[in-house]
Amino acid sequence: MSDSDSENVQFFEGVEKLLEIWFASTDLDSKQCDLRKIPRHKLESLLKIVRCEIISFTRNEQVDAYVLSESSMFVSKRRFILKTCGTTTPLLCLKPLLLLAEQFAGYVDIENVFYSRKNFKRPELQMTPHQTFEQEVALLDTYFPDGAAYCLGPVNRDCWYLYTLNPPPMLVDSCTGTEPDQTLEILMTHLDPDIMALFSREECRSAAEATQKSGIDKLIPNMVIDDYLFDPCGYSMNGVSKTGCYMTIHITPEPEFSYVSFETNIAASSYRELISRVLDTFQPGNFVITVFANQNSVAVEAPREVQRLHSLGDWARRDIQHCRFKYYDLTCAFYTSQLSKLTQAPTTECTASNIHCYTTTDTCSCSNQHEGLSQNPCQSCKNDKNTLVNEVCVSNTSYCITHGTQCIRPASHEHELQNQLTLSQSQVNLPKCSSCQQSFEDIKPIRSRCYSNLTMSNSNSATSFNNGSTMRNSQLSRLFLCNLCVFSSTQAKLLFSWWRNKIS
């Protein structure tokens, strides 16, 4: 696709807003309460407030499943699930929904609420109250005084927001939460373009064809599938089982903002095989896994299982958080594909985006994409403390962080660093940054513990650092290209050759 074509692609926010409400009744006639008694035309009016509509419907004795113009809705006896993408406004339907639940279903009490979503790619395009999580929380708090809001994951990268009820112990009904419940959700980005092409009218003439060719029909057996293929591209499906379990998949295939979500509430003691099937089906670059399970679920150990999954095939975990609520355990984990970085075409510029890199106990987290890194784990730090300076990986600490052709080196530093780059006066005619054109000796380090803190030693066998640590030249030469990420590969090789001649 040309640059002009890419600019003409109309953006669509695939990330969904997921609202799940569990209703309860203390009346003796609670068996008569049922959300499925809400008339269809009332639900259609409700969805107009949300800015979407019903396009397909399937049901069994346990659940009514609706495919919407923007994702899905599931209605069972006392659980209501609304999952909508794009610029929809699901929280605006809360007040009329609660009224409908009381008027037609007989519910006056709410057992629990879950509102969650991944961070938006373009939040500025959302409508109030969904432009920020703070806006959403403020609205939710007006309905649920015992609500609590959480952000899992790094706030400056991919993260996942959650709002749920957290009542004081004295207000918790002993009968609440006795029904087994569990949910697995996988939110995927940077999908394989060839796989995403299946979900367009150019590649498949029908939703059934896309479902079969992609292998979606094999993810969970014995599901009655209701699928829809949008024109010119896009895909949604609901699957329901005889036991009332569901799965739902929604796909935004455009390569500029590709996104796939998978969600199911099937009960399983382990989700590892299912997770692997989903990943093999869609081949994402990055994904988030969330696993909920209450104490009565057969999946009660599933959240802890994810904690042990340091890697999943070609995907390495880079962050994980665990929460324990009144009745539910939750694990949220973030993974990145290592294979996609190793197989991409060589570049003449360093594409690393991290200012620095802290290694974890699991894998190298520096996410380097430099020329010279051809294996997994990272050949610079190898997650080995012997190649770390003060516990900080030096494989991605740079004088100037370059993104392609745009240099984002800070114009000034608020705090003068104690350790400045020490270079011999004889070091002249050094290459310049390929982006900002500043000479090597003029660029100051951004971090105090970066690779720039070295002072050349007269010894041929080792190099000394200002903090007192040393590194053998054989190690340093292996790290050298990786650290000079502000230079093009050609310029870095020239500097590397000059340095080797200097110490030899």
Side-chain angles (χ1 to χ4, degrees), residues 218-272:
K218 298 180 178 62
L219 290 177
I220 302 179
N222 303 318
M223 284 275 181
V224 176
I225 292 178
D226 182 17
D227 47 15
Y228 190 88
L229 184 64
F230 293 87
D231 190 8
C233 64
Y235 173 91
S236 289
M237 70 80 68
N238 291 334
V240 294
S241 69
K242 292 181 180 180
T243 60
C245 292
Y246 70 87
M247 78 166 175
T248 184
I249 297 174
H250 303 282
I251 299 174
T252 302
E254 291 89 337
E256 296 81 6
F257 38 86
S258 61
Y259 175 85
V260 174
S261 68
F262 171 90
E263 179 186 349
T264 185
N265 71 333
I266 64 166
S269 58
S270 172
Y271 288 120
R272 181 163 188 168

CSV table of all heavy atoms in Angstrom, one decimal, residues 218-272:
chain,number,residue,atom,x,y,z
A,218,LYS,N,-12.8,-24.0,14.6
A,218,LYS,CA,-12.1,-25.1,15.3
A,218,LYS,C,-11.6,-24.7,16.7
A,218,LYS,O,-11.0,-25.5,17.4
A,218,LYS,CB,-10.9,-25.6,14.5
A,218,LYS,CG,-11.3,-26.3,13.2
A,218,LYS,CD,-10.1,-26.8,12.4
A,218,LYS,CE,-10.5,-27.5,11.1
A,218,LYS,NZ,-11.2,-26.5,10.2
A,219,LEU,N,-11.7,-23.4,17.0
A,219,LEU,CA,-11.2,-22.9,18.3
A,219,LEU,C,-11.9,-23.6,19.5
A,219,LEU,O,-11.2,-24.0,20.4
A,219,LEU,CB,-11.3,-21.4,18.4
A,219,LEU,CG,-10.4,-20.6,17.4
A,219,LEU,CD1,-10.7,-19.1,17.6
A,219,LEU,CD2,-9.0,-20.9,17.7
A,220,ILE,N,-13.2,-23.6,19.5
A,220,ILE,CA,-13.9,-24.2,20.6
A,220,ILE,C,-15.0,-25.1,19.9
A,220,ILE,O,-15.9,-24.6,19.3
A,220,ILE,CB,-14.6,-23.2,21.5
A,220,ILE,CG1,-13.6,-22.3,22.1
A,220,ILE,CG2,-15.4,-23.9,22.6
A,220,ILE,CD1,-14.2,-21.2,23.1
A,221,PRO,N,-14.9,-26.4,20.0
A,221,PRO,CA,-15.8,-27.3,19.3
A,221,PRO,C,-17.2,-27.2,19.9
A,221,PRO,O,-17.4,-26.7,21.0
A,221,PRO,CB,-15.2,-28.7,19.6
A,221,PRO,CG,-13.8,-28.4,20.0
A,221,PRO,CD,-13.8,-27.1,20.7
A,222,ASN,N,-18.2,-27.6,19.1
A,222,ASN,CA,-19.6,-27.7,19.6
A,222,ASN,C,-20.2,-26.4,19.9
A,222,ASN,O,-21.1,-26.3,20.8
A,222,ASN,CB,-19.7,-28.7,20.8
A,222,ASN,CG,-19.2,-30.1,20.5
A,222,ASN,OD1,-19.4,-30.6,19.4
A,222,ASN,ND2,-18.4,-30.6,21.4
A,223,MET,N,-19.8,-25.3,19.2
A,223,MET,CA,-20.4,-24.0,19.4
A,223,MET,C,-21.3,-23.8,18.2
A,223,MET,O,-20.9,-24.0,17.0
A,223,MET,CB,-19.4,-22.9,19.4
A,223,MET,CG,-18.7,-22.8,20.8
A,223,MET,SD,-19.6,-21.8,21.9
A,223,MET,CE,-18.6,-21.8,23.4
A,224,VAL,N,-22.5,-23.3,18.4
A,224,VAL,CA,-23.4,-22.8,17.3
A,224,VAL,C,-22.9,-21.4,17.0
A,224,VAL,O,-23.0,-20.5,17.8
A,224,VAL,CB,-24.9,-22.8,17.8
A,224,VAL,CG1,-25.7,-22.2,16.6
A,224,VAL,CG2,-25.3,-24.2,18.1
A,225,ILE,N,-22.4,-21.2,15.7
A,225,ILE,CA,-21.8,-20.0,15.3
A,225,ILE,C,-22.7,-19.1,14.5
A,225,ILE,O,-23.4,-19.6,13.6
A,225,ILE,CB,-20.5,-20.3,14.5
A,225,ILE,CG1,-19.4,-21.0,15.4
A,225,ILE,CG2,-19.9,-19.0,13.9
A,225,ILE,CD1,-18.2,-21.4,14.7
A,226,ASP,N,-22.7,-17.9,14.9
A,226,ASP,CA,-23.5,-16.8,14.2
A,226,ASP,C,-22.4,-15.8,13.8
A,226,ASP,O,-22.0,-15.0,14.7
A,226,ASP,CB,-24.6,-16.2,15.1
A,226,ASP,CG,-25.4,-15.2,14.4
A,226,ASP,OD1,-25.3,-15.1,13.2
A,226,ASP,OD2,-26.1,-14.4,15.1
A,227,ASP,N,-22.1,-15.7,12.5
A,227,ASP,CA,-21.0,-14.8,12.1
A,227,ASP,C,-21.5,-13.8,11.1
A,227,ASP,O,-22.5,-14.0,10.4
A,227,ASP,CB,-19.8,-15.6,11.6
A,227,ASP,CG,-20.3,-16.7,10.6
A,227,ASP,OD1,-21.4,-16.7,10.1
A,227,ASP,OD2,-19.5,-17.7,10.3
A,228,TYR,N,-20.7,-12.8,10.9
A,228,TYR,CA,-21.0,-11.7,9.9
A,228,TYR,C,-19.8,-11.1,9.4
A,228,TYR,O,-18.8,-10.8,10.1
A,228,TYR,CB,-21.9,-10.6,10.6
A,228,TYR,CG,-22.5,-9.6,9.7
A,228,TYR,CD1,-23.7,-9.9,9.1
A,228,TYR,CD2,-21.8,-8.5,9.3
A,228,TYR,CE1,-24.3,-9.0,8.2
A,228,TYR,CE2,-22.4,-7.5,8.5
A,228,TYR,CZ,-23.6,-7.8,7.9
A,228,TYR,OH,-24.2,-6.9,7.0
A,229,LEU,N,-19.7,-11.0,8.1
A,229,LEU,CA,-18.6,-10.4,7.3
A,229,LEU,C,-19.0,-9.0,6.8
A,229,LEU,O,-19.9,-8.9,6.0
A,229,LEU,CB,-18.1,-11.3,6.2
A,229,LEU,CG,-16.9,-10.8,5.4
A,229,LEU,CD1,-15.6,-10.8,6.3
A,229,LEU,CD2,-16.6,-11.8,4.2
A,230,PHE,N,-18.4,-8.0,7.3
A,230,PHE,CA,-18.7,-6.6,6.9
A,230,PHE,C,-18.2,-6.3,5.5
A,230,PHE,O,-17.3,-6.9,5.0
A,230,PHE,CB,-18.2,-5.6,7.9
A,230,PHE,CG,-18.9,-5.7,9.2
A,230,PHE,CD1,-18.4,-6.6,10.2
A,230,PHE,CD2,-20.0,-5.0,9.5
A,230,PHE,CE1,-19.1,-6.7,11.4
A,230,PHE,CE2,-20.7,-5.1,10.7
A,230,PHE,CZ,-20.2,-6.0,11.7
A,231,ASP,N,-18.7,-5.3,4.9
A,231,ASP,CA,-18.3,-4.8,3.6
A,231,ASP,C,-17.7,-3.4,3.7
A,231,ASP,O,-18.3,-2.5,4.3
A,231,ASP,CB,-19.5,-4.7,2.6
A,231,ASP,CG,-19.1,-4.5,1.2
A,231,ASP,OD1,-17.9,-4.5,0.9
A,231,ASP,OD2,-20.0,-4.3,0.4
A,232,PRO,N,-16.4,-3.2,3.3
A,232,PRO,CA,-15.5,-4.1,2.5
A,232,PRO,C,-14.7,-5.0,3.4
A,232,PRO,O,-14.2,-6.0,2.9
A,232,PRO,CB,-14.6,-3.1,1.8
A,232,PRO,CG,-14.5,-1.9,2.8
A,232,PRO,CD,-15.8,-1.8,3.4
A,233,CYS,N,-14.6,-4.8,4.7
A,233,CYS,CA,-13.9,-5.7,5.6
A,233,CYS,C,-14.3,-5.5,7.0
A,233,CYS,O,-15.1,-4.6,7.4
A,233,CYS,CB,-12.4,-5.3,5.5
A,233,CYS,SG,-11.9,-3.7,6.1
A,234,GLY,N,-13.9,-6.5,7.8
A,234,GLY,CA,-14.4,-6.5,9.2
A,234,GLY,C,-15.2,-7.8,9.5
A,234,GLY,O,-15.9,-8.3,8.6
A,235,TYR,N,-15.1,-8.3,10.7
A,235,TYR,CA,-15.7,-9.6,11.0
A,235,TYR,C,-16.2,-9.6,12.4
A,235,TYR,O,-15.5,-9.1,13.3
A,235,TYR,CB,-14.7,-10.7,10.7
A,235,TYR,CG,-15.2,-12.1,11.1
A,235,TYR,CD1,-15.8,-12.9,10.2
A,235,TYR,CD2,-14.9,-12.6,12.4
A,235,TYR,CE1,-16.2,-14.2,10.6
A,235,TYR,CE2,-15.2,-13.9,12.7
A,235,TYR,CZ,-15.9,-14.7,11.8
A,235,TYR,OH,-16.2,-15.9,12.2
A,236,SER,N,-17.3,-10.2,12.7
A,236,SER,CA,-17.8,-10.4,14.0
A,236,SER,C,-18.5,-11.8,14.1
A,236,SER,O,-19.1,-12.2,13.1
A,236,SER,CB,-18.9,-9.4,14.5
A,236,SER,OG,-18.3,-8.1,14.7
A,237,MET,N,-18.4,-12.4,15.2
A,237,MET,CA,-19.0,-13.7,15.4
A,237,MET,C,-19.4,-13.9,16.9
A,237,MET,O,-18.7,-13.5,17.8
A,237,MET,CB,-18.2,-14.9,14.9
A,237,MET,CG,-16.9,-15.2,15.7
A,237,MET,SD,-17.2,-16.2,17.2
A,237,MET,CE,-17.7,-17.8,16.5
A,238,ASN,N,-20.5,-14.6,17.1
A,238,ASN,CA,-20.8,-15.2,18.4
A,238,ASN,C,-21.0,-16.7,18.3
A,238,ASN,O,-21.4,-17.2,17.3
A,238,ASN,CB,-22.2,-14.6,18.9
A,238,ASN,CG,-22.1,-13.1,19.2
A,238,ASN,OD1,-21.1,-12.6,19.5
A,238,ASN,ND2,-23.3,-12.5,19.1
A,239,GLY,N,-20.6,-17.3,19.3
A,239,GLY,CA,-20.8,-18.8,19.4
A,239,GLY,C,-21.4,-19.1,20.8
A,239,GLY,O,-21.0,-18.6,21.8
A,240,VAL,N,-22.4,-20.0,20.8
A,240,VAL,CA,-23.0,-20.4,22.0
A,240,VAL,C,-23.1,-21.9,22.1
A,240,VAL,O,-23.3,-22.6,21.1
A,240,VAL,CB,-24.5,-19.8,22.2
A,240,VAL,CG1,-24.4,-18.3,22.3
A,240,VAL,CG2,-25.3,-20.2,21.0
A,241,SER,N,-23.0,-22.4,23.3
A,241,SER,CA,-23.1,-23.9,23.5
A,241,SER,C,-24.4,-24.2,24.2
A,241,SER,O,-25.1,-23.3,24.7
A,241,SER,CB,-21.9,-24.3,24.4
A,241,SER,OG,-22.0,-23.8,25.7
A,242,LYS,N,-24.7,-25.5,24.3
A,242,LYS,CA,-25.9,-25.9,24.9
A,242,LYS,C,-26.0,-25.6,26.4
A,242,LYS,O,-27.0,-25.4,27.0
A,242,LYS,CB,-26.1,-27.4,24.7
A,242,LYS,CG,-26.4,-27.8,23.3
A,242,LYS,CD,-26.6,-29.3,23.1
A,242,LYS,CE,-26.8,-29.7,21.7
A,242,LYS,NZ,-27.0,-31.2,21.6
A,243,THR,N,-24.8,-25.5,27.0
A,243,THR,CA,-24.7,-25.2,28.4
A,243,THR,C,-24.8,-23.7,28.8
A,243,THR,O,-24.8,-23.3,29.9
A,243,THR,CB,-23.4,-25.7,29.0
A,243,THR,OG1,-22.3,-25.1,28.4
A,243,THR,CG2,-23.3,-27.2,28.8
A,244,GLY,N,-24.9,-22.9,27.7
A,244,GLY,CA,-25.0,-21.4,27.9
A,244,GLY,C,-23.7,-20.7,27.8
A,244,GLY,O,-23.7,-19.5,28.0
A,245,CYS,N,-22.6,-21.4,27.6
A,245,CYS,CA,-21.3,-20.7,27.5
A,245,CYS,C,-21.3,-20.0,26.1
A,245,CYS,O,-22.0,-20.4,25.2
A,245,CYS,CB,-20.2,-21.7,27.6
A,245,CYS,SG,-20.0,-22.4,29.2
A,246,TYR,N,-20.5,-19.0,26.0
A,246,TYR,CA,-20.4,-18.2,24.8
A,246,TYR,C,-18.9,-18.0,24.4
A,246,TYR,O,-18.0,-18.1,25.2
A,246,TYR,CB,-21.1,-16.9,24.9
A,246,TYR,CG,-20.3,-15.9,25.9
A,246,TYR,CD1,-19.3,-15.1,25.4
A,246,TYR,CD2,-20.7,-15.9,27.2
A,246,TYR,CE1,-18.7,-14.2,26.2
A,246,TYR,CE2,-20.0,-15.0,28.1
A,246,TYR,CZ,-19.0,-14.2,27.6
A,246,TYR,OH,-18.3,-13.4,28.4
A,247,MET,N,-18.7,-17.7,23.2
A,247,MET,CA,-17.4,-17.1,22.7
A,247,MET,C,-17.8,-16.0,21.7
A,247,MET,O,-18.8,-16.1,21.0
A,247,MET,CB,-16.4,-18.1,22.1
A,247,MET,CG,-16.7,-18.6,20.7
A,247,MET,SD,-15.3,-19.5,20.0
A,247,MET,CE,-15.9,-20.0,18.5
A,248,THR,N,-16.9,-15.0,21.6
A,248,THR,CA,-17.2,-13.9,20.7
A,248,THR,C,-15.8,-13.4,20.2
A,248,THR,O,-14.9,-13.3,20.9
A,248,THR,CB,-18.0,-12.8,21.3
A,248,THR,OG1,-18.3,-11.8,20.3
A,248,THR,CG2,-17.3,-12.2,22.5
A,249,ILE,N,-15.8,-13.2,18.9
A,249,ILE,CA,-14.6,-12.7,18.2
A,249,ILE,C,-14.9,-11.5,17.3
A,249,ILE,O,-15.9,-11.5,16.6
A,249,ILE,CB,-13.9,-13.8,17.3
A,249,ILE,CG1,-13.5,-14.9,18.2
A,249,ILE,CG2,-12.7,-13.2,16.5
A,249,ILE,CD1,-13.0,-16.1,17.4
A,250,HIS,N,-14.1,-10.5,17.4
A,250,HIS,CA,-14.3,-9.3,16.6
A,250,HIS,C,-13.0,-8.8,16.0
A,250,HIS,O,-12.0,-8.8,16.7
A,250,HIS,CB,-14.9,-8.1,17.4
A,250,HIS,CG,-16.2,-8.6,18.0
A,250,HIS,ND1,-17.4,-8.6,17.3
A,250,HIS,CD2,-16.5,-9.0,19.3
A,250,HIS,CE1,-18.4,-9.0,18.1
A,250,HIS,NE2,-17.9,-9.3,19.3
A,251,ILE,N,-13.0,-8.5,14.7
A,251,ILE,CA,-11.8,-8.3,13.9
A,251,ILE,C,-11.9,-7.0,13.1
A,251,ILE,O,-12.8,-6.8,12.3
A,251,ILE,CB,-11.6,-9.5,12.9
A,251,ILE,CG1,-11.4,-10.8,13.7
A,251,ILE,CG2,-10.3,-9.2,12.1
A,251,ILE,CD1,-11.3,-12.0,12.9
A,252,THR,N,-10.9,-6.2,13.4
A,252,THR,CA,-10.6,-5.0,12.6
A,252,THR,C,-9.4,-5.3,11.8
A,252,THR,O,-8.3,-5.2,12.3
A,252,THR,CB,-10.5,-3.7,13.4
A,252,THR,OG1,-11.6,-3.5,14.2
A,252,THR,CG2,-10.2,-2.5,12.6
A,253,PRO,N,-9.5,-5.6,10.5
A,253,PRO,CA,-8.3,-6.2,9.8
A,253,PRO,C,-7.4,-5.2,9.1
A,253,PRO,O,-6.3,-5.5,8.7
A,253,PRO,CB,-9.0,-7.0,8.7
A,253,PRO,CG,-10.2,-6.3,8.4
A,253,PRO,CD,-10.7,-5.7,9.7
A,254,GLU,N,-7.7,-3.9,9.0
A,254,GLU,CA,-6.9,-2.9,8.3
A,254,GLU,C,-5.5,-2.9,9.0
A,254,GLU,O,-5.3,-2.8,10.2
A,254,GLU,CB,-7.4,-1.5,8.4
A,254,GLU,CG,-8.7,-1.3,7.6
A,254,GLU,CD,-10.0,-1.6,8.4
A,254,GLU,OE1,-9.9,-2.4,9.4
A,254,GLU,OE2,-11.1,-1.1,8.0
A,255,PRO,N,-4.4,-3.0,8.1
A,255,PRO,CA,-3.1,-3.2,8.7
A,255,PRO,C,-2.6,-2.0,9.5
A,255,PRO,O,-1.8,-2.1,10.4
A,255,PRO,CB,-2.2,-3.4,7.4
A,255,PRO,CG,-3.0,-2.9,6.3
A,255,PRO,CD,-4.4,-3.1,6.7
A,256,GLU,N,-3.1,-0.8,9.2
A,256,GLU,CA,-2.7,0.4,9.9
A,256,GLU,C,-3.2,0.4,11.4
A,256,GLU,O,-2.6,1.0,12.3
A,256,GLU,CB,-3.2,1.7,9.3
A,256,GLU,CG,-2.7,1.9,7.9
A,256,GLU,CD,-3.4,1.1,6.8
A,256,GLU,OE1,-4.4,0.4,7.1
A,256,GLU,OE2,-3.0,1.1,5.6
A,257,PHE,N,-4.2,-0.3,11.7
A,257,PHE,CA,-4.8,-0.4,13.1
A,257,PHE,C,-5.5,-1.7,13.3
A,257,PHE,O,-6.5,-1.8,13.9
A,257,PHE,CB,-5.8,0.8,13.3
A,257,PHE,CG,-6.6,1.1,12.1
A,257,PHE,CD1,-7.8,0.4,11.9
A,257,PHE,CD2,-6.3,2.1,11.2
A,257,PHE,CE1,-8.6,0.7,10.8
A,257,PHE,CE2,-7.1,2.4,10.1
A,257,PHE,CZ,-8.3,1.7,9.9
A,258,SER,N,-4.8,-2.8,12.9
A,258,SER,CA,-5.4,-4.1,13.0
A,258,SER,C,-5.6,-4.5,14.5
A,258,SER,O,-4.8,-4.2,15.4
A,258,SER,CB,-4.6,-5.2,12.4
A,258,SER,OG,-3.3,-5.2,13.0
A,259,TYR,N,-6.7,-5.2,14.8
A,259,TYR,CA,-7.1,-5.5,16.1
A,259,TYR,C,-8.1,-6.7,16.1
A,259,TYR,O,-8.9,-6.8,15.2
A,259,TYR,CB,-7.8,-4.3,16.8
A,259,TYR,CG,-8.4,-4.6,18.2
A,259,TYR,CD1,-7.6,-4.5,19.3
A,259,TYR,CD2,-9.7,-5.0,18.4
A,259,TYR,CE1,-8.1,-4.7,20.6
A,259,TYR,CE2,-10.2,-5.2,19.6
A,259,TYR,CZ,-9.4,-5.1,20.7
A,259,TYR,OH,-9.9,-5.4,22.0
A,260,VAL,N,-7.9,-7.6,17.0
A,260,VAL,CA,-8.7,-8.8,17.2
A,260,VAL,C,-9.0,-9.0,18.7
A,260,VAL,O,-8.1,-9.0,19.5
A,260,VAL,CB,-8.1,-10.1,16.6
A,260,VAL,CG1,-9.0,-11.3,16.9
A,260,VAL,CG2,-7.9,-9.9,15.0
A,261,SER,N,-10.2,-9.2,19.0
A,261,SER,CA,-10.6,-9.6,20.4
A,261,SER,C,-11.2,-11.0,20.4
A,261,SER,O,-12.0,-11.3,19.5
A,261,SER,CB,-11.5,-8.6,21.0
A,261,SER,OG,-12.8,-8.6,20.4
A,262,PHE,N,-10.8,-11.8,21.4
A,262,PHE,CA,-11.4,-13.1,21.6
A,262,PHE,C,-11.9,-13.1,23.1
A,262,PHE,O,-11.1,-12.8,24.0
A,262,PHE,CB,-10.4,-14.2,21.4
A,262,PHE,CG,-10.8,-15.6,21.8
A,262,PHE,CD1,-11.5,-16.4,20.9
A,262,PHE,CD2,-10.6,-16.0,23.1
A,262,PHE,CE1,-12.0,-17.7,21.3
A,262,PHE,CE2,-11.0,-17.3,23.5
A,262,PHE,CZ,-11.7,-18.1,22.6
A,263,GLU,N,-13.1,-13.6,23.3
A,263,GLU,CA,-13.6,-13.7,24.7
A,263,GLU,C,-14.5,-15.0,24.8
A,263,GLU,O,-15.2,-15.3,23.9
A,263,GLU,CB,-14.4,-12.5,25.0
A,263,GLU,CG,-15.0,-12.5,26.4
A,263,GLU,CD,-15.9,-11.3,26.7
A,263,GLU,OE1,-16.0,-10.4,25.9
A,263,GLU,OE2,-16.7,-11.4,27.7
A,264,THR,N,-14.4,-15.6,25.9
A,264,THR,CA,-15.2,-16.8,26.2
A,264,THR,C,-15.4,-17.0,27.7
A,264,THR,O,-14.5,-16.5,28.5
A,264,THR,CB,-14.6,-18.1,25.6
A,264,THR,OG1,-15.6,-19.2,25.8
A,264,THR,CG2,-13.3,-18.5,26.2
A,265,ASN,N,-16.4,-17.6,28.1
A,265,ASN,CA,-16.6,-18.0,29.5
A,265,ASN,C,-16.7,-19.5,29.7
A,265,ASN,O,-17.3,-19.9,30.7
A,265,ASN,CB,-17.9,-17.3,30.0
A,265,ASN,CG,-19.2,-17.9,29.5
A,265,ASN,OD1,-19.2,-18.4,28.4
A,265,ASN,ND2,-20.3,-17.8,30.3
A,266,ILE,N,-16.2,-20.3,28.8
A,266,ILE,CA,-16.2,-21.7,28.9
A,266,ILE,C,-15.4,-22.1,30.2
A,266,ILE,O,-14.4,-21.4,30.5
A,266,ILE,CB,-15.7,-22.5,27.7
A,266,ILE,CG1,-14.2,-22.1,27.5
A,266,ILE,CG2,-16.5,-22.2,26.5
A,266,ILE,CD1,-13.5,-23.1,26.6
A,267,ALA,N,-15.9,-23.1,30.9
A,267,ALA,CA,-15.2,-23.5,32.1
A,267,ALA,C,-14.1,-24.5,31.8
A,267,ALA,O,-14.4,-25.5,31.1
A,267,ALA,CB,-16.2,-24.1,33.1
A,268,ALA,N,-12.9,-24.3,32.3
A,268,ALA,CA,-11.8,-25.2,32.0
A,268,ALA,C,-10.8,-25.0,33.1
A,268,ALA,O,-10.5,-23.9,33.6
A,268,ALA,CB,-11.1,-24.9,30.7
A,269,SER,N,-10.2,-26.1,33.6
A,269,SER,CA,-9.2,-26.0,34.6
A,269,SER,C,-7.9,-25.4,34.1
A,269,SER,O,-7.1,-24.8,34.9
A,269,SER,CB,-8.9,-27.4,35.2
A,269,SER,OG,-8.4,-28.2,34.1
A,270,SER,N,-7.7,-25.4,32.8
A,270,SER,CA,-6.5,-24.8,32.1
A,270,SER,C,-6.9,-24.2,30.8
A,270,SER,O,-7.7,-24.8,30.0
A,270,SER,CB,-5.4,-25.8,31.9
A,270,SER,OG,-4.3,-25.3,31.1
A,271,TYR,N,-6.4,-23.0,30.5
A,271,TYR,CA,-6.7,-22.3,29.3
A,271,TYR,C,-5.5,-22.3,28.3
A,271,TYR,O,-5.6,-21.7,27.3
A,271,TYR,CB,-7.2,-20.9,29.5
A,271,TYR,CG,-8.5,-20.8,30.1
A,271,TYR,CD1,-8.7,-20.2,31.4
A,271,TYR,CD2,-9.7,-21.2,29.4
A,271,TYR,CE1,-10.0,-20.0,31.9
A,271,TYR,CE2,-10.9,-21.1,30.0
A,271,TYR,CZ,-11.1,-20.5,31.2
A,271,TYR,OH,-12.3,-20.4,31.8
A,272,ARG,N,-4.4,-22.9,28.7
A,272,ARG,CA,-3.2,-22.8,27.9
A,272,ARG,C,-3.4,-23.3,26.5
A,272,ARG,O,-3.0,-22.6,25.5
A,272,ARG,CB,-2.1,-23.6,28.6
A,272,ARG,CG,-0.8,-23.5,27.8
A,272,ARG,CD,0.4,-23.9,28.6
A,272,ARG,NE,1.7,-23.6,27.9
A,272,ARG,CZ,2.9,-23.6,28.5
A,272,ARG,NH1,3.0,-23.9,29.8
A,272,ARG,NH2,3.9,-23.3,27.8
